[in-house]
Amino acid sequence: MVGLVSAAGLVGFLSEPDPQLQIFALNTLNEQVDLFWIEVAGSVGQIEALYEDESFPERQLAALVASKVYYHLQAYNESMVFALGAGKLFNIDNSGEFEETIISKCIDSYIALSSSISPADSANVASKPHPQLSTSFPASTGATNTAASMTSPTTPFSQSTLPSKSLLSRQGTTTDLDPSQMNADSIGTISGATPAPLASDTVIRKQLQAVIERLFEKCFQEKRYRQVVGIAVEARNLDVLRRTILRATADEKRKGSKDSGDGTDSEALMEYVLDICMNVVQERGLRNEILRLILDLLNDIPSPDYFSIAKCVVYLNEHSMASDMLHQLVERGDPRSLAVAYQISFDLYDNSTQEFLKQLKEELAKDLDSDELSEPAKEANEGDNKDEREKAPESEQLLKEIGDSVKKNHDSQTTVIYRKIHDILNGLASINLELEFLYRNNHADMGILKRLRDSLEARNSIFHTAVTFANAFMHAGTTHDKFFRDNLEWLGKAVNWSKFTATAALGVIHRGNLSQGKKLLAPYLPKEQAQGLAGGGSAYSQGGSLYAYGLIYANHGSTAIDLIRKHFKDAQGEEVVQHGGALGLGVAGMGIGDEGIYEDLKEALYTDSALNGEAVGLAMGLIMLGSGNIKALEDMISYAHETQHEKTVRGLAMGMALIMYGRQEAADELIKGLLDDPDPTLRYGGIMTIALAYCGTGSNKAVRKLLHVAVSDVSDDVRRAAVMSLGFILFRKHSSVPRMVELLSESYNPHVRYGAAMALGISCAGTGLDEAVDLLEPMLKDPTDFVRQGALISLSMIMIQQNEAMNPKVGSVRKILQKIVSDRHEDAMAKFGAAIALGIIDAGGRNCTISLQTQTGNLNMTGIVGMAVFTQYWYWFPFTHFLSLSFTPTSIIGVDQNLDIPKFKFHSNTRSSLFDYPPEQETKADEAPEKVKTAVLSTTAQAKRRAQKKEKQARRESMDIDQRPTTPKKPAADADKMDTDEKDSSKKEDKEGETEGTPAPEGQKKKVEKEKVGYELENMSRVLPAQLKYLSFPDSRYIPIKKPTGGVVVVIDSKPDEPKDLIELKSTRDARAAAALEASERAVRGSETDSTQAQQGGEGAAAGVGVLTAVDEDQEGDEDAELPMEFDYYSDGGEEEDN
């Protein structure tokens, strides 16, 4: 309507009795309401009356106009209700602001309504209810417990108040009612969700459903399946999720081709759903239901993504489904299916617990045994029917014999395949391959260790221990223990717990060396007791050897558990030996849930030994890792309240946290009880329980709780742990951590600052994140020594495997670490942190990174547990070795269908310097002290000048021309300066001329050649996680079965009939050579003792036997440990004089 300046006339038409005038007015207002809504707002009641009049022919038009008026009045709830009443007149295809706002409101209302009808509790229908603890915590009164919960004592931790924008947390933010009591009739009371008419009117709810269905159909037509998936997940509507995935699959089949646009590929959509489920969904019950739905859909697909199925199976702990999947692949028998089966087996070993793998191997062993036992049964049946076969024609007998032989060959091949799968699941294949990789590619810089040894006084126990840790981390998993062999005199200065730590370091260095582990530690292990006398050797080295034995077999206990358990039980009264045995049992038996071992540990706990209590409590948690065992928790809580030893309480607190690893909501009752306890050590355990129960989830409620405790608890230990635990919760969203702890890093409390530093190191490990480094750099100058220590350790975690091309600050960080170590005025704690940092930054021979999630995206249970226990080094230094469990080799190791390692190359489309090893530090040769240049006084120079003038005058007078060169004059500006004797200046200039001469252009050319983009890498090479996206496999013969994610990759040999070159395993070859050498030496020197033979074997572990097993006596005048003769080290007696 042109020239319309007022809506007064149109509003007047609404009062007319003629429906045609009213319809005309509504049509006109519908077009002009954006301009005249202020005038129309006063008559909105008349428009509503027209909508409510069932005899009015254009009720939907009246509803649409009313909706637009309420929209401009910002009454969005009423606007949405009337837009729903408008039916199809509300056009969702329009891209106007009104339509977008109402659609968003409809989606929010649909999510609130659907999630209330199917709350989180309904997602747990298939799962068991969380068991309740029968142990009561002591009630806190008054100001005794200042770490009180944010909510009332009756509000469970899982229902704490959350931010309104947190995904999948509306259950806690939209209402104060009990979510389990919510129904469709109560939705109208939810603030900001839907208006009251929506809850009370079934018709409007149907209209909402119709609009949402129209919206879904529009998304389906435009191939925007991911939007529907997001709405379905937030609404907890698994039916819509299933329908969306099936619709995407059907559309793809109908088209006959895959469109890789906006997620139209059904496989890509499935990966997207899996990614959301694992990284976004916070409720464990809902996640399980979605994973089960994905499993059902994947199994229905003719050629499913088995690797996605394996992810779901591991998280759901469905070992029977994993067994069925492997059976299905083996039965197919084609090379690709077998390669997929092997790759899935490798992935299952990397991502599963020992208990899961044990059950899976048992199921596979049943089928394997039945296959093997079926042949004798068949032969017996054939023997019974022998007469009948003899009566048959010869041709038939021949055919039967051929068929039987073919069947036997098939059965034997199947048996071989199952045995290979069993070996992979047993971990032998993966461990040997990683051990070989670390052994072949060891790039540890021994010069750093030597400087560290020379800079730190070995007589000081903390410094000796620091060098031990640096050596252990630097050579973790490489089996390279040459440093011990070359520094026996330094090693001999280890006493008591330093000796315990040094012996345990052998377990870090030889981790994964399963074939030689027992042999290496045999001289150190406790000897059999005879006639009531303890076996020879130091108790500290014996305890350390049990700890080392557990580290070698970490998370792969098998036979090691029985040996450690035997020594642990036999060491009654030997507290140090039992201490090491408990730690070894916990590391080797991580997550096996063995009740017998738990009872043995509990029996040792009840002896009430302060020395053993901490290790035993921790070991109990490691054995029951992630099981949520209520009986174990009740025992531990009860004893923690009875004992008076703080170390025992701390060990039990950590053990309870480990038992609740990954349990999420199931741990809420324990968390609340521990946080309300008046004992700060148990509150500390409550914080660590939050960290481990919600690790990697990014849970908003967990973060909120930790931040609250970090600023409210009176215990510095609890506050420090609360801030530090943020790193465990958010390591999958590490980029958000620096912003979160920025203010905490400037806190007045040094414990909070230390926690902020460690949170950055834990969450950003291996990323080189600039924001984290910028926060840590000022903390290196903190006035508190332990804050500097935490900053140094965290910097090394972040800078691990970083070079100058990836992060320019890594060079300055390395220089700072070495400067602090060599600074005599630096505090001991800061030096200790710098020494450990030097080991971490070069971990595993510069071939390992710190990763809390596996290469396939699952939680790295071993790494998380190792990092959590490592943080306890604050109280007990030997726990530092647990950090080695977080070290993950960064490699690509290709194996074929026969599990051989073929020689082939793959391409990296980057500059070689971008991901190259950092250069080794230049080692300066021992030079004589530089001579100070001779100073020449200015008066002498003036005297020389006067003498020269007189000489010149004399020459002029005599007219005698002297052709000899004279000393050139110096500029006037330098006349008064002190002269120096520059004897070597010409030589230096010559050297500089050589370096700046003709060779320079050649060097520049070589540098340009190195910087060419793209280079080849051999199989079993170091490949950083950031480098994976640049890899390609141009070799036409060996094709990877899946996109490489690092670690072991199974490749298909497209030319199996052609000869192939294999990579020889150097680690096993050198081990065999050393064994042969040792056997020959024993044959020659049969009368020598075993310890002497071991010392002369050439290995660091064997060479240090005589030093580490010597008994320490803390009395003055005692002799030092005897050193091996072949090294010609002699004591000068200074040690006794100093005493």
Side-chain angles (χ1 to χ4, degrees), residues 31 226 319 396 448 476 557 928 1053 1058:
E31 297 175 358
R226 297 190 178 189
H319 54 84
E396 293 182 5
I448 296 177
D1053 188 357
E1058 296 183 5

Side-chain angles (χ1 to χ4, degrees), residues 1077-1091:
L1077 177 61
E1078 184 177 355
S1080 62
E1081 290 180 351
R1082 286 182 179 178
V1084 174
R1085 301 186 305 272
S1087 59
E1088 295 184 1
T1089 61
D1090 293 340
S1091 60

Side-chain angles (χ1 to χ4, degrees), residues 593-653:
D594 191 300
E595 292 288 346
I597 299 177
Y598 171 79
E599 291 298 329
D600 293 340
L601 292 169
K602 187 170 71 171
E603 183 180 350
L605 177 70
Y606 287 166
T607 60
D608 202 30
S609 168
L611 186 60
N612 289 344
E614 189 169 16
V616 171
L618 182 67
M620 293 166 70
L622 289 171
I623 294 296
M624 295 294 178
L625 179 65
S627 65
N629 191 304
I630 294 299
K631 181 180 178 300
L633 290 173
E634 291 174 351
D635 293 340
M636 297 168 79
I637 292 171
S638 176
Y639 191 77
H641 288 145
E642 294 176 3
T643 185
Q644 299 298 318
H645 299 299
E646 183 181 349
K647 288 174 67 67
T648 302
V649 177
R650 186 180 303 112
L652 291 171

Side-chain angles (χ1 to χ4, degrees), residues 776-792:
L776 288 171
E777 283 181 335
M779 302 177 76
L780 296 177
K781 300 178 182 178
D782 195 277
T784 308
D785 52 1
F786 62 78
V787 176
R788 297 198 301 274
Q789 180 190 84
L792 291 168

